[in-house]
Amino acid sequence: MANKKIKQIAIYGKGGIGKSTTTSNISAALVKQGFKVMQFGCDPKSDSTNTLRGGKYIPTVLDTLREKTTVKASEVIHEGFGGVYCVEAGGPAPGVGCAGRGIITAVQLFKQQRVFEELDLDFVIYDVLGDVVCGGFAVPIREGIAEHVFTVSSADFMAVYAANNLFRGIHKYSNAGGALLGGVIANSINAPYAKEIIDDFVKQTKTQVVEYVPRSVTVTQSELQGKTTIEAAPNSEQAKIYTRLALKIAEHTESKVPEPLDVHELREWASKWADHLLALETGEVTSKASCI
Amino acid sequence: MGKFVDRPKYICAMGGAVATLNALPGVVPILHAAAGCGFNISNAINGGGGYVGSGYCGGQSLPSSNVFEKEIVFGGEGRLEQQILSTMEIAEADIYFVITGCMVEMIGDDAVSVVKRLNKGKRLFAADTGGFRGNSYKGYDIVLSKLFSEYVQTGLEKDERLVNLWGIVPVQDVYWKGNLRVLKKLVEGLGYKVNTFFGEDETLEDLKESSKAILNIVVSDTYGIDAAKTFKEVHDTDYITTDFPIGDHGTARFIKEVGTALGASNEVINALIKKERKRYYGYLERVVDAYSDFDLQRYAVIVGDANYTQGLTRFLSDDLGWLPELVIINDLLEEEQKEFLRRKFSDYESGIKPELVFDTDASSVLKHINRHWEVNKNPRYYDSMTPAFLIGSSFEKETAQKIKAQHLSVMYPVSNRVVLDRAYAGFEGALTLTEDIFSVLLESR
């Protein structure tokens, strides 16, 4: 299997938007399909893989590095649901040190030790903290690590703003062999206008929506049990959506360079939607809203 | 993107801070930085500072937290605390002063609060000196400001006969110690006691009680001004800025400015100038025969920092009777500072008006010389800028050879000379400078 191509995917999104939930469900769905998957949490909070491991925290790469000067990657890989290999990069305590550098250190450690090849993986999925605030959080999309990036976003402006920032990062590294954008995973899409907002945003930035994931109480119930929806409610409607999403990602081959909006364009775009939503709320019926 | 500086004639803010702290008696700097910082800074200080050496606890002995990736990821405050405590145990000093490098500041390490937590009173200080904050001059200002606001005692009764004098930056002025000695002696000639902090026989006790002074004399329009403002704010002491004086024309002005600010009588001021001139010209006249016989007048190009270039140009133009053609200042300066400095190069008694250029690239000197004076393209008659003399740093040695000029390193970096107690300031320094310049001219004899 020496020539097997490992598909490396990075999933970004604003904090609290549902990245880890989505990523863990994708990982769980993929192992159920018979793939070998590693989920690599790139967030100092180190809770990306919790629902794959019954809600339990695992020692992180950086925790282990703090204690010892050298770390064998095998020491920080923990198996979760269905045999998903779980890794948490970890990071410093809040308010000190440099979390970005921590992510770089952890990712490079794995790359150097050629762990992915040894484990004969089909997928490595990086679950990365939100706003790409510094170079460290961009490491999965540069240096030829991940090939495809997906961003989780709701229709909230701040989530869209974070997604647009990520697009800027991808755009920047696209000429230097960095990852390209697979598309947007539209999360918590329940209100009809939310779908419209996300659709309009992907149109503006020349990308696509991979899947619309509605907000669901099943997800909450599963998480409270420390499980993914795929594990806790495999026959639910939500599990079907996650499985469909996972398969789409598995089959996805062609990513593109997005065209992010600049700050003024983004503001203008947002205020246009603000006017539209206000019109909806006040009951004003215009031709555009009348179809809703 | 900002313009880069080609061949800078200074180090970073932390480098300036190290040089400043090393020049204070009984002070041990503690670097909170990567291992390379201390090493590079030491080399730049020693190699460019006329081989000033490591001193009591400098050079390769500088205590440093030497942070590595672990400290960068998890924060380096713990490592710093460890380093402070071990340094205090091993190295004897009156003051330990923590200074920070770029990377620890970028990750948000707070050296000042680490020092506060350790609660060592007036024996332990910290200042943020990340290299990106500026160059050596900034480091000098940061360290002085910190000491003035936290070490110098407040509420002391003023001593009407005491002044402080600074603005001569250790190592950036390679002859700082000698220069401070000369300037101190001059002000003492007006009847005052003088603290220079970094000069001969200065003590930390003097620094601690320097708030007793009635005036701060900053011998620069560019360096040490922030520190003077801090001093004024904390201790309510006024300050004046003066030009760095070399020779009769510069130094007589200096004495008058300082004397007037201190309220000294004209008799005292004039008597001091008279006495100094008598000695000065008594020696200077010796060289007059050789000057005339060998025709030792030269066109001059002066390249260096804001302090020295104006002092040197005035000395060459008005004391030595030379022809300063071009002055290049390599410092990083604000527009207002440049405007202010321009006025310093336009009031010579000789009536000479040298071209003044501000260029932060020390590599551009030859380009400016060739622009200023038409290059020889072999016409039948050519008025060449020879004989010429270039006063600058070691960086200008090759340029001088290219224009067939003779050369003397006066400003940082000085790597081709060993400097001990030499001074170029004042009347006394001007005699030494004359010796050095004319010795270069006559060395082939």
Side-chain angles (χ1 to χ4, degrees):
Chain A
M1 296 296 281
N3 293 326
K4 184 167 113 180
K5 174 98 174 131
I6 303 164
K7 199 163 188 174
Q8 300 202 47
I9 292 157
I11 296 181
Y12 281 74
K14 186 185 174 302
I17 208 69
K19 276 186 310 297
S20 299
T21 306
T22 310
T23 310
S24 300
N25 276 296
I26 293 170
S27 296
L30 286 173
V31 287
K32 273 187 94 172
Q33 299 295 319
F35 292 112
K36 294 184 88 170
V37 181
M38 174 181 284
Q39 182 165 325
F40 201 119
C42 297
D43 185 330
K45 289 199 306 295
S46 59
D47 56 359
S48 166
T49 59
N50 275 16
T51 53
L52 290 166
R53 296 186 45 80
K56 287 195 197 98
Y57 280 86
I58 54 175
T60 70
V61 181
L62 291 170
D63 280 344
T64 318
L65 262 178
R66 199 201 302 248
E67 306 304 324
K68 305 196 260 182
T69 44
T70 51
V71 169
K72 276 193 195 152
S74 54
E75 295 170 43
V76 287
I77 300 172
H78 300 266
E79 280 192 42
F81 169 75
V84 178
Y85 296 110
C86 302
V87 177
E88 294 285 355
V96 294
C98 179
R101 184 68 225 172
I103 304 290
I104 297 173
T105 310
V107 171
Q108 283 178 348
L109 181 113
F110 269 66
K111 205 181 161 188
Q112 280 159 9
Q113 298 190 5
R114 300 184 57 81
V115 181
F116 307 148
E117 290 80 358
E118 275 172 29
L119 288 174
D120 190 26
L121 296 174
D122 296 300
F123 291 93
V124 180
I125 308 180
Y126 300 91
D127 173 15
V128 197
L129 172 86
D131 294 274
V132 208
V133 285
C134 73
F137 295 98
V139 83
I141 56 170
R142 59 183 218 214
E143 296 179 9
I145 293 175
E147 304 146 85
H148 308 283
V149 182
F150 295 89
T151 179
V152 180
S153 179
S154 70
D156 292 337
F157 178 69
M158 291 321 286
V160 171
Y161 181 84
N164 191 63
N165 260 355
L166 170 70
F167 293 179
R168 287 165 68 179
I170 294 172
H171 194 268
K172 178 179 161 54
Y173 291 113
S174 62
N175 291 331
L180 301 181
L181 184 66
V184 175
I185 300 165
N187 202 28
S188 305
I189 304 298
N190 288 42
Y193 66 80
K195 182 174 177 297
E196 270 192 75
I197 289 175
I198 284 291
D199 284 346
D200 191 26
F201 174 67
V202 297
K203 193 174 145 203
Q204 299 285 334
T205 50
K206 309 277 189 293
T207 181
Q208 57 169 344
V209 172
V210 187
E211 187 62 71
Y212 302 94
V213 183
R215 174 173 279 280
S216 158
V217 75
T218 318
V219 177
T220 316
Q221 284 168 340
S222 311
E223 292 205 333
L224 288 172
Q225 297 170 44
K227 289 175 180 167
T228 58
T229 308
I230 298 285
E231 183 184 3
N235 299 319
S236 64
E237 191 54 35
Q238 195 75 4
K240 280 180 200 153
I241 294 171
Y242 281 131
T243 305
R244 198 164 65 216
L245 170 62
L247 290 174
K248 278 184 187 173
I249 287 175
E251 283 156 18
H252 177 87
T253 50
E254 281 230 358
S255 289
K256 289 178 184 159
V257 182
E259 288 181 23
L261 302 174
D262 70 28
V263 179
H264 300 293
E265 288 170 337
L266 194 63
R267 287 252 159 248
E268 245 170 61
W269 177 84
S271 70
K272 188 194 79 187
W273 274 103
D275 291 345
H276 181 55
L277 295 182
L278 185 68
L280 272 180
E281 200 162 274
T282 52
E284 185 187 317
V285 178
T286 66
S287 59
K288 202 171 176 187
S290 58
C291 62
I292 301 168
Chain B
M1 198 170 141
K3 185 193 169 302
F4 64 88
V5 177
D6 195 12
R7 304 205 86 187
K9 289 182 169 177
Y10 34 75
I11 26 183
C12 64
M14 186 165 71
V18 170
T20 305
L21 292 165
N22 278 342
L24 281 171
V27 177
V28 166
I30 300 171
L31 275 60
H32 185 32
C37 292
F39 184 79
N40 289 333
I41 285 170
S42 303
N43 284 343
I45 289 176
N46 191 40
Y51 303 96
V52 61
S54 311
Y56 172 57
C57 198
Q60 303 308 311
S61 314
L62 274 174
S64 169
S65 61
N66 290 358
V67 293
F68 282 93
E69 189 161 30
K70 192 188 252 184
E71 285 78 27
I72 295 303
V73 172
F74 297 109
E77 291 185 10
R79 176 71 199 91
L80 172 63
E81 190 173 321
Q82 209 176 34
Q83 188 60 44
I84 293 171
L85 294 174
S86 60
T87 304
M88 291 184 88
E89 198 181 316
I90 291 164
E92 204 170 291
D94 297 313
I95 289 179
Y96 301 85
F97 201 118
V98 178
I99 47 181
T100 53
C102 301
M103 64 300 288
V104 298
E105 282 201 49
M106 284 168 74
I107 64 161
D109 270 7
D110 189 349
V112 174
S113 64
V114 170
V115 160
K116 224 176 249 171
R117 277 203 300 273
L118 289 173
N119 202 19
K120 301 282 182 187
K122 292 205 171 194
R123 288 188 69 213
L124 180 62
F125 300 89
D128 293 332
T129 54
F132 50 73
R133 290 174 182 268
N135 59 16
S136 312
Y137 301 112
K138 182 74 184 172
Y140 171 75
D141 258 325
I142 292 173
V143 166
L144 274 188
S145 298
K146 191 74 176 185
L147 289 170
F148 290 163
S149 57
E150 291 185 13
Y151 182 65
V152 174
Q153 285 184 319
T154 50
L156 297 179
E157 199 182 324
K158 296 282 179 198
D159 178 345
E160 293 298 321
R161 305 309 291 175
L162 181 69
V163 296
N164 301 317
L165 182 146
W166 70 83
I168 313 273
V169 182
V171 178
Q172 278 304 125
D173 178 346
V174 181
Y175 310 87
W176 91 89
K177 203 156 183 172
N179 286 338
L180 287 173
R181 179 191 68 233
V182 168
L183 296 175
K184 178 173 178 148
K185 215 167 108 188
L186 281 175
V187 182
E188 282 174 348
L190 288 167
Y192 289 83
K193 289 177 286 176
V194 187
N195 293 319
T196 64
F197 315 135
F198 306 99
E200 295 169 9
D201 302 322
E202 301 284 337
T203 65
L204 280 180
E205 205 52 38
D206 292 335
L207 171 61
K208 198 189 242 175
E209 296 184 1
S210 60
S211 55
K212 288 179 178 173
I214 51 161
L215 184 71
N216 291 324
I217 303 161
V218 186
V219 191
S220 174
D221 294 310
T222 323
Y223 322 130
I225 310 290
D226 287 350
K229 288 177 182 163
T230 305
F231 207 113
K232 166 81 182 153
E233 210 173 284
V234 182
H235 306 290
D236 197 28
T237 308
D238 288 328
Y239 69 93
I240 57 163
T241 64
T242 72
D243 294 345
F244 179 70
I246 302 175
D248 178 18
H249 289 79
T251 314
R253 280 172 174 232
F254 172 81
I255 293 172
K256 279 179 196 160
E257 278 175 26
V258 173
T260 309
L262 287 168
S265 68
N266 280 341
E267 288 80 49
V268 171
I269 293 170
N270 292 334
L272 178 63
I273 294 173
K274 195 176 166 191
K275 186 181 129 210
E276 290 288 337
R277 275 181 177 156
K278 193 177 169 205
R279 179 178 181 273
Y280 179 61
Y281 287 110
Y283 281 108
L284 199 63
E285 70 172 3
R286 290 191 189 182
V287 84
V288 172
D289 287 356
Y291 191 113
S292 327
D293 293 349
F294 304 131
D295 192 10
L296 298 181
Q297 191 188 42
R298 293 289 183 267
Y299 289 110
V301 177
I302 302 108
V303 187
D305 66 57
N307 258 18
Y308 262 99
T309 46
Q310 65 76 30
L312 284 166
T313 310
R314 191 174 300 283
F315 167 74
L316 295 175
S317 158
D318 291 352
D319 278 36
L320 222 53
W322 277 21
L323 306 166
E325 276 291 327
L326 177 64
V327 180
I328 302 169
I329 297 180
N330 300 127
D331 284 345
L332 290 165
L333 299 165
E334 302 291 331
E335 265 320 305
E336 307 94 74
Q337 289 176 309
K338 289 182 189 171
E339 202 43 56
F340 192 73
L341 277 166
R342 275 191 193 100
R343 296 202 288 272
K344 311 263 176 197
F345 291 86
S346 59
D347 62 343
Y348 300 117
E349 276 190 20
S350 66
I352 287 173
K353 292 206 183 316
E355 184 190 350
L356 176 62
V357 175
F358 294 98
D359 193 330
T360 51
D361 296 343
S363 55
S364 303
V365 173
L366 189 61
K367 182 185 83 186
H368 289 299
I369 293 172
N370 287 334
R371 182 188 42 72
H372 174 82
W373 196 284
E374 197 192 353
V375 179
N376 187 357
K377 292 178 184 141
N378 295 319
R380 184 180 292 263
Y381 300 107
Y382 173 67
D383 179 16
S384 65
M385 191 178 71
T386 50
F389 198 101
L390 200 161
I391 297 189
S393 69
S394 294
F395 283 176
E396 280 74 44
K397 203 175 170 184
E398 276 178 36
T399 308
Q401 283 164 356
K402 281 181 187 157
I403 61 164
K404 296 187 174 57
Q406 281 162 304
H407 163 259
L408 184 69
S409 296
V410 170
M411 289 157 279
Y412 185 91
V414 174
S415 313
N416 60 338
R417 308 177 67 186
V418 170
V419 178
L420 300 176
D421 71 341
R422 213 167 201 69
Y424 285 147
F427 289 96
E428 193 184 321
L431 289 176
T432 309
L433 184 58
T434 309
E435 284 176 356
D436 290 350
I437 289 174
F438 282 46
S439 297
V440 170
L441 292 178
L442 298 169
E443 71 188 349
S444 61
R445 289 184 64 84

